């Protein structure tokens, strides 16, 4: 999902004449496995550089994979996780200053939340789609949430109207970037296997 977010950022940067590149905060869970059913949020986040200057969606994907793998190898997730745990003991005012300082390292938050693989039912009716709501960080204009549900990816966009005047342009850029990535991946897979169906391609891209 970060690959076509980078593609959308590329389109928006070119539309508004902004410099290439962007940094997204990627939340990750600090909760230990044995406490996964407990209520409440226990999260931290790490900034990721998005290759919005790269025109090729495949190369964007390769770059992002290398960046996230490098962060794991360097222990960045552990360092940010440790800071997240320690900061919970600080006074609220000091915590807010830490958050404000940290958010300057990125442009927006982009979160991916896995949901149910099985179709859910509410009040006797099937749940067709499921959307999360990503939190806006201080001084950030947008927050993106991706939720996987059954065989769908449901995308939510939260905007600060004081900063983002036309959120529809962001949605159009996301849709265009997703279609671009889908077309490239589908073409490559069909070259390997001519019987590769569009339905299978959709599931492959969503994964």
């Amino acid at each position: 999902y970060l690959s076509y977010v980078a593609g959308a950022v590329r389109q928006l940067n070119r539309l508004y004449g902004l410099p290439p590149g962007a940094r997204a905060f990627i939340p990750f869970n600090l909760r230990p496995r044995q406490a996964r059913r407990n209520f409440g949020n226990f999260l931290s986040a790490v900034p990721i550089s998005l290759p919005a200057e790269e025109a090729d969606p495949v190369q964007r994907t390769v770059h992002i994979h290398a960046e996230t793998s490098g962060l794991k190898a360097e222990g960045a997730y552990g360092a940010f996780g440790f800071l997240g745990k320690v900061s919970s003991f600080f006074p609220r005012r000091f915590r807010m200053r830490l958050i404000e300082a940290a958010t300057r390292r990125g442009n927006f938050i982009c979160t991916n939340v896995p949901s149910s693989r099985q179709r859910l039912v509410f009040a006797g009716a099937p749940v067709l789609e499921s959307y999360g709501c990503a939190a806006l960080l201080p001084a950030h204009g947008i927050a993106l949430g991706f939720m996987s549900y059954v065989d769908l990816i449901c995308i939510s966009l939260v905007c600060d109207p004081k900063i983002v005047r036309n959120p529809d342009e962001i949605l159009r850029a996301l849709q265009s970037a997703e279609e671009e990535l889908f077309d490239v991946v589908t073409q490559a897979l069909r070259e390997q296997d001519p019987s590769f169906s569009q339905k299978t391609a959709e599931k492959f891209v969503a994964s």
Side-chain angles (χ1 to χ4, degrees):
Y1 72 100
L2 287 175
S3 179
Y4 73 82
V5 170
V9 171
R10 171 181 169 80
Q11 294 183 31
L12 292 168
N13 284 349
R14 298 180 71 184
L15 177 65
Y16 290 105
L18 299 175
R23 289 172 70 82
F25 274 103
I26 310 301
F28 59 94
N29 190 13
L30 295 175
R31 193 186 309 281
R33 184 176 296 274
Q34 63 271 22
R36 66 184 182 277
R37 296 186 182 276
N38 292 357
F39 289 106
N41 293 326
F42 194 25
L43 305 170
S44 187
V46 62
I48 301 287
S49 294
L50 299 178
E53 72 283 355
E54 176 57 63
D56 185 348
V58 175
Q59 290 303 314
R60 288 199 296 265
T61 305
V62 171
H63 178 100
I64 289 169
H65 181 267
E67 169 115 3
T68 53
S69 299
L71 287 170
K72 290 178 182 178
E74 294 166 4
Y77 288 99
F80 276 86
F82 176 75
L83 180 60
K85 292 178 180 178
V86 171
S87 65
S88 63
F89 296 100
F90 297 155
R92 184 180 183 279
R93 181 178 295 181
F94 186 69
R95 286 204 312 272
M96 292 306 297
R97 288 184 178 179
L98 277 178
I99 292 172
E100 290 173 2
T103 55
R104 297 191 190 103
R105 301 186 61 188
N107 303 105
F108 59 93
I109 193 166
C110 188
T111 180
N112 178 31
V113 181
S115 185
S116 175
R117 295 288 185 179
Q118 304 297 320
R119 180 76 63 187
L120 301 177
V121 176
F122 180 76
V127 177
L128 302 180
E129 299 175 351
S130 179
Y131 293 88
C133 185
L136 280 172
L137 295 177
H140 283 193
I142 66 172
L144 283 167
F146 293 77
M147 180 169 284
S148 57
Y149 174 62
V150 192
D151 58 352
L152 300 174
I153 298 294
C154 302
I155 305 173
S156 64
L157 172 65
V158 180
C159 295
D160 182 345
K162 296 178 181 178
I163 299 176
V164 178
R165 301 297 184 183
N166 191 352
D168 288 342
E169 288 182 350
I170 300 175
L171 293 174
R172 285 193 291 268
L174 283 168
Q175 182 178 8
S176 175
E178 190 274 339
E179 291 172 353
E180 176 189 43
L181 180 61
F182 176 82
D183 289 343
V184 170
V185 172
T186 302
Q187 180 61 34
L189 293 172
R190 282 180 176 163
E191 288 176 358
Q192 297 179 12
D193 182 3
S195 66
F196 197 81
S197 69
Q198 179 163 339
K199 188 68 176 178
T200 307
E202 290 172 354
K203 291 183 178 179
F204 183 89
V205 172
S207 64

